[in-house]
Amino acid sequence: MTVLSYALLIILLLSSAILILMVLLHKGKGGGLSSMFGGGMSSVASGSSVAEKNLTRITIGVGVIWFACILAFGLLMRTIV
């Protein structure tokens, strides 16, 4: 494996861990497992806040980076093998 493949693998692992944390930071939208653990409770400030919108944007950005790493790593491995 080359230096590029190791770098892509490290970026892929880091973005995977960050993506998991970002998804877990989102508040529940009602029903399902989120309400079982207290995420379904409504509060006074239940509207979408600036922090929630920014968290969504960051999550989408990390998801795009993760997807690009998956594609690049797959293409790199395809050319090596």
Side-chain angles (χ1 to χ4, degrees), residues 2 4-6 8 71-81:
T2 64
L4 180 62
S5 61
Y6 283 120
L8 278 173
L71 287 179
F73 193 70
L75 289 173
L76 186 66
M77 289 296 110
R78 185 175 171 193
T79 59
I80 290 176
V81 174

Side-chain angles (χ1 to χ4, degrees), residues 27 43-49 52:
K27 68 178 179 182
S43 65
V44 176
S46 64
S48 99
S49 64
E52 186 72 23

Side-chain angles (χ1 to χ4, degrees), residues 49-67:
S49 64
V50 174
E52 186 72 23
K53 287 180 185 177
N54 287 336
L55 183 62
T56 301
R57 290 180 188 140
I58 294 170
T59 305
I60 291 171
V62 173
V64 167
I65 292 170
W66 179 83
F67 186 71

Side-chain angles (χ1 to χ4, degrees), residues 22-43 45-48 52 55-56:
M22 289 293 182
V23 169
L24 289 175
L25 282 175
H26 282 278
K27 68 178 179 182
K29 303 291 183 194
L33 288 177
S34 63
S35 64
M36 182 191 309
F37 297 111
M41 290 194 228
S42 63
S43 65
S46 64
S48 99
E52 186 72 23
L55 183 62
T56 301

